[in-house]
Amino acid sequence: MFDVYRNDKRFLLVLSSGSPVPALYSAHRWRRSRKRVLKVSDEIKSAVQAQGYYVRSLRVTKERMIEVE
């Protein structure tokens, strides 16, 4: 299982269940999601196994925007 956190600057942090927030990101104010996450994508799962955490921005970028015609 995984713990999912987000902060005021719209960043997403995924940790394996019960792991502490990494020192690099401990200065930020993280809010834990109330929902339990059982499954994540392969990209997130491999990053958590290799680094112990996964971080990304939730901001919409031009590449991720979907244009409706």
Side-chain angles (χ1 to χ4, degrees):
M1 291 198 303
F2 298 91
D3 292 333
V4 177
Y5 296 85
R6 61 182 175 85
N7 68 4
D8 299 342
K9 296 184 180 183
R10 306 221 7 112
F11 276 87
L12 177 75
L13 173 66
V14 180
L15 302 168
S16 59
S17 187
S19 297
V21 175
L24 180 64
Y25 298 103
S26 63
H28 300 288
R29 187 176 207 170
W30 295 101
R31 293 185 188 146
R32 187 169 156 219
S33 172
R34 293 182 184 187
K35 295 180 181 178
R36 286 185 149 175
V37 179
L38 300 176
K39 281 185 147 182
V40 294
S41 69
D42 292 333
E43 176 188 354
I44 295 174
K45 189 183 298 184
S46 64
V48 169
Q49 288 176 349
Q51 299 175 343
Y53 62 92
Y54 173 80
V55 177
R56 76 162 190 186
S57 174
L58 291 176
R59 295 186 190 273
V60 176
T61 60
K62 289 182 181 178
E63 296 91 31
R64 287 197 267 166
M65 287 178 61
I66 300 172
E67 296 180 16
V68 178
E69 296 181 10

